[in-house]
Amino acid sequence: MNEEKFYKLKENFKNRNIEVNWFETLGEVKSYILNIVPVDCNIGIGHSATLQKMGITNSLLGRGNIVYDKEIGKNREESKILKKKALLAEWYISGSNAVTVDGRIINVDHSGNRVAAISYGPDNVIIVVGINKITDTVEEGIKRVKNIACPLNAKRAGYNPPCVELNKCIDCASKERVCNILSIIEGQSEENRIKLCIVNEMCGF
Ligand code: SF4
């Protein structure tokens, strides 16, 4: 993404009360997060290949934060409790499926915990995305989510909707469907509650 496009994106999000910051590497984003998130608070984590690559959960746990990340649950029941606790954490850190230059954040969820927390839960939300998640419009963003992110996420999580084999969305009504909830954040009532971190790397899917 060139500089002109980034500043256009940043301005569009600013008008919607969402702060945008640019980082060259995931390591820089991690330092930023560890700097602005207090050491004495609790944090919910929205499952994300980008955050896993960053290793943010272990770093936060290692310095004494309480972290609600479903990945550290020992079984399905524990993971479910962690997802619920994350909804009312003081901070929430997540990836996203697509971000548009005109100022929208697009996510699809299987169960809805992540979109619920981002929409109305923690008072402070940090969203980390690589440049591969940037699209020009909502239509392109949804197309990206359904045809790229969903098949890969379904495969990773062990579900088998039609897109896994076909590598494209056929708008299925399968019980294995992974995109049960589609969320488009178009703005925020509280200024800078959401901080969007864009990293100049290809991250997640
Ligand atoms: S609607 Fe079905 S086929 Fe389309 S992305 Fe979702 S799970 Fe895959």
Side-chain angles (χ1 to χ4, degrees), residues 158-175:
Y159 293 97
N160 193 27
C163 53
V164 169
E165 201 167 313
L166 301 171
N167 258 326
K168 65 173 185 180
C169 174
I170 58 160
D171 193 20
C172 75
S174 160
K175 283 196 181 356

Side-chain angles (χ1 to χ4, degrees), residues 47 52 69-74 79 82 156:
H47 183 69
Q52 279 190 322
D69 180 347
K70 72 167 188 169
E71 294 301 310
I72 57 180
K74 292 187 192 74
S79 293
L82 287 163
R156 175 191 51 77

Side-chain angles (χ1 to χ4, degrees), residues 32-101:
Y32 166 79
I33 292 172
L34 293 173
N35 194 35
I36 65 163
V37 175
V39 291
D40 58 352
C41 73
N42 55 56
I43 303 138
I45 302 287
H47 183 69
S48 152
T50 302
L51 296 185
Q52 279 190 322
K53 189 176 170 194
M54 190 196 290
I56 192 66
T57 294
N58 283 340
S59 296
L60 289 166
L61 284 170
R63 68 176 197 171
N65 285 108
I66 294 170
V67 182
Y68 306 126
D69 180 347
K70 72 167 188 169
E71 294 301 310
I72 57 180
K74 292 187 192 74
N75 51 48
R76 203 178 167 87
E77 200 48 44
E78 264 191 37
S79 293
K80 194 172 176 183
I81 291 167
L82 287 163
K83 285 197 281 185
K84 291 201 173 179
K85 284 187 172 173
L87 293 174
L88 290 178
E90 293 165 287
W91 285 73
Y92 195 77
I93 306 172
S94 178
S96 174
N97 298 122
V99 163
T100 70
V101 175

